[in-house]
PDB file of all heavy atoms in Angstrom:
ATOM      1  N   LYS A 113     -30.171 -20.460  23.643  1.00 89.00           N
ATOM      2  CA  LYS A 113     -31.227 -21.278  24.088  1.00 89.00           C
ATOM      3  C   LYS A 113     -30.916 -21.642  25.616  1.00 89.00           C
ATOM      4  O   LYS A 113     -29.823 -21.575  26.187  1.00 89.00           O
ATOM      5  CB  LYS A 113     -31.295 -22.649  23.319  1.00 89.00           C
ATOM      6  CG  LYS A 113     -31.855 -22.375  21.932  1.00 89.00           C
ATOM      7  CD  LYS A 113     -31.943 -23.837  21.269  1.00 89.00           C
ATOM      8  CE  LYS A 113     -32.476 -23.806  19.909  1.00 89.00           C
ATOM      9  NZ  LYS A 113     -32.558 -25.038  19.246  1.00 89.00           N
ATOM     10  N   LYS A 114     -31.948 -22.146  26.189  1.00 84.00           N
ATOM     11  CA  LYS A 114     -31.793 -22.546  27.621  1.00 84.00           C
ATOM     12  C   LYS A 114     -30.890 -23.791  27.666  1.00 84.00           C
ATOM     13  O   LYS A 114     -30.960 -24.603  26.790  1.00 84.00           O
ATOM     14  CB  LYS A 114     -33.227 -22.872  28.232  1.00 84.00           C
ATOM     15  CG  LYS A 114     -33.139 -23.206  29.792  1.00 84.00           C
ATOM     16  CD  LYS A 114     -34.473 -23.404  30.250  1.00 84.00           C
ATOM     17  CE  LYS A 114     -34.477 -23.639  31.759  1.00 84.00           C
ATOM     18  NZ  LYS A 114     -35.811 -23.964  32.264  1.00 84.00           N
ATOM     19  N   ASP A 115     -29.952 -23.850  28.595  1.00 83.00           N
ATOM     20  CA  ASP A 115     -28.975 -24.876  28.742  1.00 83.00           C
ATOM     21  C   ASP A 115     -28.040 -25.071  27.548  1.00 83.00           C
ATOM     22  O   ASP A 115     -27.639 -26.102  27.170  1.00 83.00           O
ATOM     23  CB  ASP A 115     -29.711 -26.181  29.115  1.00 83.00           C
ATOM     24  CG  ASP A 115     -30.572 -26.149  30.296  1.00 83.00           C
ATOM     25  OD1 ASP A 115     -30.199 -25.507  31.196  1.00 83.00           O
ATOM     26  OD2 ASP A 115     -31.695 -26.759  30.368  1.00 83.00           O
ATOM     27  N   ALA A 116     -27.736 -23.969  26.814  1.00 86.00           N
ATOM     28  CA  ALA A 116     -26.871 -24.050  25.610  1.00 86.00           C
ATOM     29  C   ALA A 116     -25.479 -24.346  26.143  1.00 86.00           C
ATOM     30  O   ALA A 116     -25.003 -24.026  27.171  1.00 86.00           O
ATOM     31  CB  ALA A 116     -26.947 -22.628  24.938  1.00 86.00           C
ATOM     32  N   ASP A 117     -24.815 -25.080  25.154  1.00 88.00           N
ATOM     33  CA  ASP A 117     -23.368 -25.324  25.443  1.00 88.00           C
ATOM     34  C   ASP A 117     -22.578 -24.142  24.987  1.00 88.00           C
ATOM     35  O   ASP A 117     -22.181 -24.011  23.808  1.00 88.00           O
ATOM     36  CB  ASP A 117     -22.999 -26.548  24.607  1.00 88.00           C
ATOM     37  CG  ASP A 117     -21.582 -27.163  24.958  1.00 88.00           C
ATOM     38  OD1 ASP A 117     -20.780 -26.315  25.450  1.00 88.00           O
ATOM     39  OD2 ASP A 117     -21.305 -28.295  24.640  1.00 88.00           O
ATOM     40  N   VAL A 118     -22.257 -23.301  25.995  1.00 89.00           N
ATOM     41  CA  VAL A 118     -21.560 -21.934  25.566  1.00 89.00           C
ATOM     42  C   VAL A 118     -20.248 -22.283  25.029  1.00 89.00           C
ATOM     43  O   VAL A 118     -19.739 -21.614  24.065  1.00 89.00           O
ATOM     44  CB  VAL A 118     -21.502 -21.028  26.862  1.00 89.00           C
ATOM     45  CG1 VAL A 118     -20.712 -19.841  26.512  1.00 89.00           C
ATOM     46  CG2 VAL A 118     -22.829 -20.689  27.440  1.00 89.00           C
ATOM     47  N   GLU A 119     -19.473 -23.166  25.588  1.00 90.00           N
ATOM     48  CA  GLU A 119     -18.177 -23.406  25.053  1.00 90.00           C
ATOM     49  C   GLU A 119     -18.150 -23.854  23.670  1.00 90.00           C
ATOM     50  O   GLU A 119     -17.271 -23.607  22.842  1.00 90.00           O
ATOM     51  CB  GLU A 119     -17.360 -24.457  25.926  1.00 90.00           C
ATOM     52  CG  GLU A 119     -16.003 -24.742  25.567  1.00 90.00           C
ATOM     53  CD  GLU A 119     -15.184 -25.734  26.540  1.00 90.00           C
ATOM     54  OE1 GLU A 119     -15.823 -26.000  27.604  1.00 90.00           O
ATOM     55  OE2 GLU A 119     -14.109 -26.076  26.145  1.00 90.00           O
ATOM     56  N   LYS A 120     -19.130 -24.786  23.277  1.00 90.00           N
ATOM     57  CA  LYS A 120     -19.277 -25.111  21.963  1.00 90.00           C
ATOM     58  C   LYS A 120     -19.533 -24.015  21.016  1.00 90.00           C
ATOM     59  O   LYS A 120     -19.070 -24.057  19.924  1.00 90.00           O
ATOM     60  CB  LYS A 120     -20.346 -26.287  21.895  1.00 90.00           C
ATOM     61  CG  LYS A 120     -20.557 -26.813  20.375  1.00 90.00           C
ATOM     62  CD  LYS A 120     -21.744 -27.845  20.422  1.00 90.00           C
ATOM     63  CE  LYS A 120     -22.012 -28.264  18.956  1.00 90.00           C
ATOM     64  NZ  LYS A 120     -23.232 -29.153  18.904  1.00 90.00           N
ATOM     65  N   VAL A 121     -20.477 -23.170  21.449  1.00 91.00           N
ATOM     66  CA  VAL A 121     -20.787 -21.964  20.629  1.00 91.00           C
ATOM     67  C   VAL A 121     -19.564 -21.106  20.377  1.00 91.00           C
ATOM     68  O   VAL A 121     -19.319 -20.739  19.253  1.00 91.00           O
ATOM     69  CB  VAL A 121     -21.859 -21.050  21.312  1.00 91.00           C
ATOM     70  CG1 VAL A 121     -22.128 -19.799  20.557  1.00 91.00           C
ATOM     71  CG2 VAL A 121     -23.199 -21.868  21.435  1.00 91.00           C
ATOM     72  N   ILE A 122     -18.750 -20.871  21.326  1.00 92.00           N
ATOM     73  CA  ILE A 122     -17.502 -20.060  21.302  1.00 92.00           C
ATOM     74  C   ILE A 122     -16.518 -20.681  20.255  1.00 92.00           C
ATOM     75  O   ILE A 122     -15.982 -20.129  19.454  1.00 92.00           O
ATOM     76  CB  ILE A 122     -16.892 -19.890  22.664  1.00 92.00           C
ATOM     77  CG1 ILE A 122     -17.811 -18.998  23.492  1.00 92.00           C
ATOM     78  CG2 ILE A 122     -15.456 -19.200  22.511  1.00 92.00           C
ATOM     79  CD1 ILE A 122     -17.302 -18.740  24.927  1.00 92.00           C
ATOM     80  N   ASN A 123     -16.466 -22.098  20.388  1.00 91.00           N
ATOM     81  CA  ASN A 123     -15.497 -22.758  19.475  1.00 91.00           C
ATOM     82  C   ASN A 123     -15.953 -22.673  17.970  1.00 91.00           C
ATOM     83  O   ASN A 123     -15.192 -22.488  17.104  1.00 91.00           O
ATOM     84  CB  ASN A 123     -15.410 -24.245  19.892  1.00 91.00           C
ATOM     85  CG  ASN A 123     -14.457 -24.485  21.049  1.00 91.00           C
ATOM     86  OD1 ASN A 123     -13.578 -23.648  21.214  1.00 91.00           O
ATOM     87  ND2 ASN A 123     -14.648 -25.518  21.771  1.00 91.00           N
ATOM     88  N   ILE A 124     -17.204 -22.793  17.893  1.00 91.00           N
ATOM     89  CA  ILE A 124     -17.758 -22.686  16.439  1.00 91.00           C
ATOM     90  C   ILE A 124     -17.555 -21.218  15.856  1.00 91.00           C
ATOM     91  O   ILE A 124     -17.190 -21.052  14.774  1.00 91.00           O
ATOM     92  CB  ILE A 124     -19.279 -23.029  16.419  1.00 91.00           C
ATOM     93  CG1 ILE A 124     -19.571 -24.433  16.754  1.00 91.00           C
ATOM     94  CG2 ILE A 124     -19.945 -22.577  15.134  1.00 91.00           C
ATOM     95  CD1 ILE A 124     -21.001 -24.804  16.921  1.00 91.00           C
ATOM     96  N   LEU A 125     -17.786 -20.214  16.742  1.00 93.00           N
ATOM     97  CA  LEU A 125     -17.572 -18.771  16.330  1.00 93.00           C
ATOM     98  C   LEU A 125     -16.116 -18.603  15.972  1.00 93.00           C
ATOM     99  O   LEU A 125     -15.760 -17.920  14.964  1.00 93.00           O
ATOM    100  CB  LEU A 125     -17.954 -17.833  17.452  1.00 93.00           C
ATOM    101  CG  LEU A 125     -19.491 -17.840  17.739  1.00 93.00           C
ATOM    102  CD1 LEU A 125     -19.739 -16.837  19.042  1.00 93.00           C
ATOM    103  CD2 LEU A 125     -20.275 -17.291  16.488  1.00 93.00           C
ATOM    104  N   TYR A 126     -15.252 -19.191  16.751  1.00 92.00           N
ATOM    105  CA  TYR A 126     -13.800 -18.949  16.520  1.00 92.00           C
ATOM    106  C   TYR A 126     -13.344 -19.715  15.232  1.00 92.00           C
ATOM    107  O   TYR A 126     -12.544 -19.264  14.415  1.00 92.00           O
ATOM    108  CB  TYR A 126     -12.898 -19.375  17.599  1.00 92.00           C
ATOM    109  CG  TYR A 126     -12.839 -18.448  18.849  1.00 92.00           C
ATOM    110  CD1 TYR A 126     -12.587 -18.883  20.117  1.00 92.00           C
ATOM    111  CD2 TYR A 126     -12.980 -17.041  18.626  1.00 92.00           C
ATOM    112  CE1 TYR A 126     -12.473 -17.976  21.141  1.00 92.00           C
ATOM    113  CE2 TYR A 126     -12.824 -16.173  19.613  1.00 92.00           C
ATOM    114  CZ  TYR A 126     -12.612 -16.566  20.972  1.00 92.00           C
ATOM    115  OH  TYR A 126     -12.596 -15.708  21.985  1.00 92.00           O
ATOM    116  N   LYS A 127     -14.004 -20.910  15.038  1.00 90.00           N
ATOM    117  CA  LYS A 127     -13.514 -21.733  13.941  1.00 90.00           C
ATOM    118  C   LYS A 127     -14.181 -21.386  12.561  1.00 90.00           C
ATOM    119  O   LYS A 127     -13.599 -21.412  11.579  1.00 90.00           O
ATOM    120  CB  LYS A 127     -14.018 -23.168  14.270  1.00 90.00           C
ATOM    121  CG  LYS A 127     -13.208 -24.240  13.486  1.00 90.00           C
ATOM    122  CD  LYS A 127     -11.825 -24.395  14.052  1.00 90.00           C
ATOM    123  CE  LYS A 127     -11.002 -25.613  13.465  1.00 90.00           C
ATOM    124  NZ  LYS A 127      -9.587 -25.562  13.952  1.00 90.00           N
ATOM    125  N   LYS A 128     -15.434 -20.787  12.659  1.00 89.00           N
ATOM    126  CA  LYS A 128     -16.176 -20.585  11.415  1.00 89.00           C
ATOM    127  C   LYS A 128     -16.326 -19.081  11.005  1.00 89.00           C
ATOM    128  O   LYS A 128     -16.994 -18.883   9.942  1.00 89.00           O
ATOM    129  CB  LYS A 128     -17.506 -21.263  11.554  1.00 89.00           C
ATOM    130  CG  LYS A 128     -17.460 -22.813  11.578  1.00 89.00           C
ATOM    131  CD  LYS A 128     -17.051 -23.247  10.207  1.00 89.00           C
ATOM    132  CE  LYS A 128     -16.982 -24.854  10.253  1.00 89.00           C
ATOM    133  NZ  LYS A 128     -16.744 -25.441   8.933  1.00 89.00           N
ATOM    134  N   THR A 129     -15.894 -18.186  11.914  1.00 91.00           N
ATOM    135  CA  THR A 129     -16.080 -16.761  11.488  1.00 91.00           C
ATOM    136  C   THR A 129     -14.787 -16.061  11.697  1.00 91.00           C
ATOM    137  O   THR A 129     -13.817 -16.643  12.204  1.00 91.00           O
ATOM    138  CB  THR A 129     -17.146 -15.976  12.458  1.00 91.00           C
ATOM    139  OG1 THR A 129     -16.610 -15.911  13.743  1.00 91.00           O
ATOM    140  CG2 THR A 129     -18.411 -16.869  12.426  1.00 91.00           C
ATOM    141  N   LYS A 130     -14.761 -14.767  11.363  1.00 91.00           N
ATOM    142  CA  LYS A 130     -13.564 -13.875  11.577  1.00 91.00           C
ATOM    143  C   LYS A 130     -13.336 -13.580  12.966  1.00 91.00           C
ATOM    144  O   LYS A 130     -12.354 -12.627  13.158  1.00 91.00           O
ATOM    145  CB  LYS A 130     -13.686 -12.672  10.647  1.00 91.00           C
ATOM    146  CG  LYS A 130     -13.582 -12.894   9.205  1.00 91.00           C
ATOM    147  CD  LYS A 130     -12.166 -13.315   8.822  1.00 91.00           C
ATOM    148  CE  LYS A 130     -12.095 -13.467   7.255  1.00 91.00           C
ATOM    149  NZ  LYS A 130     -10.687 -13.831   6.932  1.00 91.00           N
ATOM    150  N   LEU A 131     -13.985 -14.029  13.967  1.00 94.00           N
ATOM    151  CA  LEU A 131     -13.706 -13.719  15.317  1.00 94.00           C
ATOM    152  C   LEU A 131     -12.368 -14.367  15.683  1.00 94.00           C
ATOM    153  O   LEU A 131     -11.772 -13.958  16.782  1.00 94.00           O
ATOM    154  CB  LEU A 131     -14.838 -14.298  16.314  1.00 94.00           C
ATOM    155  CG  LEU A 131     -15.939 -13.294  16.415  1.00 94.00           C
ATOM    156  CD1 LEU A 131     -17.030 -14.064  17.294  1.00 94.00           C
ATOM    157  CD2 LEU A 131     -15.621 -12.063  17.057  1.00 94.00           C
ATOM    158  N   GLU A 132     -11.909 -15.350  15.040  1.00 93.00           N
ATOM    159  CA  GLU A 132     -10.524 -15.723  15.069  1.00 93.00           C
ATOM    160  C   GLU A 132      -9.863 -15.535  13.675  1.00 93.00           C
ATOM    161  O   GLU A 132     -10.252 -15.908  12.632  1.00 93.00           O
ATOM    162  CB  GLU A 132     -10.416 -17.173  15.524  1.00 93.00           C
ATOM    163  CG  GLU A 132      -8.920 -17.638  15.638  1.00 93.00           C
ATOM    164  CD  GLU A 132      -8.860 -19.053  16.087  1.00 93.00           C
ATOM    165  OE1 GLU A 132      -9.090 -19.304  17.343  1.00 93.00           O
ATOM    166  OE2 GLU A 132      -8.330 -19.941  15.284  1.00 93.00           O
ATOM    167  N   ASP A 133      -8.693 -14.707  13.712  1.00 93.00           N
ATOM    168  CA  ASP A 133      -8.176 -14.397  12.407  1.00 93.00           C
ATOM    169  C   ASP A 133      -6.575 -14.221  12.623  1.00 93.00           C
ATOM    170  O   ASP A 133      -6.180 -14.251  13.732  1.00 93.00           O
ATOM    171  CB  ASP A 133      -8.747 -13.121  11.857  1.00 93.00           C
ATOM    172  CG  ASP A 133      -8.543 -12.923  10.373  1.00 93.00           C
ATOM    173  OD1 ASP A 133      -7.992 -13.823   9.730  1.00 93.00           O
ATOM    174  OD2 ASP A 133      -8.977 -11.996   9.775  1.00 93.00           O
ATOM    175  N   THR A 134      -5.833 -14.158  11.609  1.00 93.00           N
ATOM    176  CA  THR A 134      -4.425 -13.876  11.777  1.00 93.00           C
ATOM    177  C   THR A 134      -4.056 -12.612  11.191  1.00 93.00           C
ATOM    178  O   THR A 134      -4.678 -12.108  10.179  1.00 93.00           O
ATOM    179  CB  THR A 134      -3.645 -15.018  10.889  1.00 93.00           C
ATOM    180  OG1 THR A 134      -4.119 -15.077   9.508  1.00 93.00           O
ATOM    181  CG2 THR A 134      -3.860 -16.379  11.549  1.00 93.00           C
ATOM    182  N   PHE A 135      -2.989 -11.973  11.783  1.00 94.00           N
ATOM    183  CA  PHE A 135      -2.462 -10.698  11.276  1.00 94.00           C
ATOM    184  C   PHE A 135      -1.098 -11.035  10.912  1.00 94.00           C
ATOM    185  O   PHE A 135      -0.144 -11.382  11.648  1.00 94.00           O
ATOM    186  CB  PHE A 135      -2.446  -9.725  12.484  1.00 94.00           C
ATOM    187  CG  PHE A 135      -1.943  -8.310  12.110  1.00 94.00           C
ATOM    188  CD1 PHE A 135      -2.684  -7.359  11.831  1.00 94.00           C
ATOM    189  CD2 PHE A 135      -0.597  -8.127  12.155  1.00 94.00           C
ATOM    190  CE1 PHE A 135      -2.141  -6.174  11.410  1.00 94.00           C
ATOM    191  CE2 PHE A 135       0.039  -6.895  11.846  1.00 94.00           C
ATOM    192  CZ  PHE A 135      -0.860  -5.872  11.498  1.00 94.00           C
ATOM    193  N   GLY A 136      -0.790 -10.814   9.514  1.00 93.00           N
ATOM    194  CA  GLY A 136       0.478 -11.177   9.053  1.00 93.00           C
ATOM    195  C   GLY A 136       1.468  -9.987   9.405  1.00 93.00           C
ATOM    196  O   GLY A 136       1.164  -8.859   9.107  1.00 93.00           O
ATOM    197  N   VAL A 137       2.627 -10.352  10.019  1.00 95.00           N
ATOM    198  CA  VAL A 137       3.664  -9.370  10.328  1.00 95.00           C
ATOM    199  C   VAL A 137       4.737  -9.452   9.396  1.00 95.00           C
ATOM    200  O   VAL A 137       5.284 -10.573   9.081  1.00 95.00           O
ATOM    201  CB  VAL A 137       4.127  -9.644  11.789  1.00 95.00           C
ATOM    202  CG1 VAL A 137       5.128  -8.643  12.160  1.00 95.00           C
ATOM    203  CG2 VAL A 137       2.916  -9.567  12.841  1.00 95.00           C
ATOM    204  N   ASN A 138       5.085  -8.211   8.876  1.00 94.00           N
ATOM    205  CA  ASN A 138       6.343  -8.137   8.022  1.00 94.00           C
ATOM    206  C   ASN A 138       6.884  -6.730   8.322  1.00 94.00           C
ATOM    207  O   ASN A 138       6.452  -5.743   7.763  1.00 94.00           O
ATOM    208  CB  ASN A 138       5.958  -8.309   6.528  1.00 94.00           C
ATOM    209  CG  ASN A 138       7.255  -8.221   5.733  1.00 94.00           C
ATOM    210  OD1 ASN A 138       8.373  -8.565   6.145  1.00 94.00           O
ATOM    211  ND2 ASN A 138       7.098  -7.785   4.460  1.00 94.00           N
ATOM    212  N   MET A 139       7.885  -6.741   9.237  1.00 95.00           N
ATOM    213  CA  MET A 139       8.422  -5.380   9.812  1.00 95.00           C
ATOM    214  C   MET A 139       9.369  -4.851   8.783  1.00 95.00           C
ATOM    215  O   MET A 139      10.483  -4.681   9.014  1.00 95.00           O
ATOM    216  CB  MET A 139       8.935  -5.543  11.153  1.00 95.00           C
ATOM    217  CG  MET A 139       7.834  -6.014  12.164  1.00 95.00           C
ATOM    218  SD  MET A 139       8.143  -5.767  13.811  1.00 95.00           S
ATOM    219  CE  MET A 139       9.386  -6.890  14.107  1.00 95.00           C
ATOM    220  N   LEU A 140       8.945  -4.445   7.583  1.00 93.00           N
ATOM    221  CA  LEU A 140       9.744  -3.847   6.564  1.00 93.00           C
ATOM    222  C   LEU A 140       9.603  -2.327   6.658  1.00 93.00           C
ATOM    223  O   LEU A 140       8.651  -1.692   6.781  1.00 93.00           O
ATOM    224  CB  LEU A 140       9.272  -4.303   5.084  1.00 93.00           C
ATOM    225  CG  LEU A 140       9.992  -3.826   3.904  1.00 93.00           C
ATOM    226  CD1 LEU A 140      11.313  -4.641   3.718  1.00 93.00           C
ATOM    227  CD2 LEU A 140       9.204  -3.741   2.794  1.00 93.00           C
ATOM    228  N   ALA A 141      10.814  -1.680   6.526  1.00 93.00           N
ATOM    229  CA  ALA A 141      10.980  -0.157   6.584  1.00 93.00           C
ATOM    230  C   ALA A 141      12.096   0.316   5.788  1.00 93.00           C
ATOM    231  O   ALA A 141      12.991  -0.501   5.475  1.00 93.00           O
ATOM    232  CB  ALA A 141      11.065   0.248   8.127  1.00 93.00           C
ATOM    233  N   ILE A 142      12.204   1.608   5.562  1.00 92.00           N
ATOM    234  CA  ILE A 142      13.379   2.143   4.896  1.00 92.00           C
ATOM    235  C   ILE A 142      14.383   2.498   5.827  1.00 92.00           C
ATOM    236  O   ILE A 142      14.243   3.411   6.690  1.00 92.00           O
ATOM    237  CB  ILE A 142      12.969   3.452   4.096  1.00 92.00           C
ATOM    238  CG1 ILE A 142      11.807   3.108   3.152  1.00 92.00           C
ATOM    239  CG2 ILE A 142      14.155   3.968   3.417  1.00 92.00           C
ATOM    240  CD1 ILE A 142      12.176   2.174   2.125  1.00 92.00           C
ATOM    241  N   ALA A 143      15.523   1.804   5.842  1.00 91.00           N
ATOM    242  CA  ALA A 143      16.587   1.934   6.858  1.00 91.00           C
ATOM    243  C   ALA A 143      17.909   2.259   6.009  1.00 91.00           C
ATOM    244  O   ALA A 143      18.247   1.335   5.123  1.00 91.00           O
ATOM    245  CB  ALA A 143      16.843   0.734   7.762  1.00 91.00           C
ATOM    246  N   GLY A 144      18.522   3.413   6.223  1.00 87.00           N
ATOM    247  CA  GLY A 144      19.742   3.685   5.496  1.00 87.00           C
ATOM    248  C   GLY A 144      19.414   3.904   4.054  1.00 87.00           C
ATOM    249  O   GLY A 144      20.337   3.554   3.120  1.00 87.00           O
TER     250      GLY A 144
END
C-alpha cells in the first residue's frame, strides 16, 4: 500500500513465515 511500513512488513514475514528458519547442525560422520 502507499506509505506502507516496510520494516513492520519485513518483521511480520520473518516472525510468521518460513522466511526465517533454523538449520540444525550435527556434524556426524564415520571416522575410523
Side-chain angles (χ1 to χ4, degrees):
K113 285 182 179 178
K114 189 177 181 181
D115 300 324
D117 187 342
V118 177
E119 186 175 350
K120 180 182 176 183
V121 173
I122 293 174
N123 280 336
I124 294 173
L125 292 175
Y126 282 154
K127 203 74 176 174
K128 292 292 184 180
T129 73
K130 287 291 186 180
L131 276 176
E132 179 177 293
D133 204 358
T134 55
F135 182 96
V137 177
N138 184 29
M139 299 199 289
L140 182 81
I142 304 298

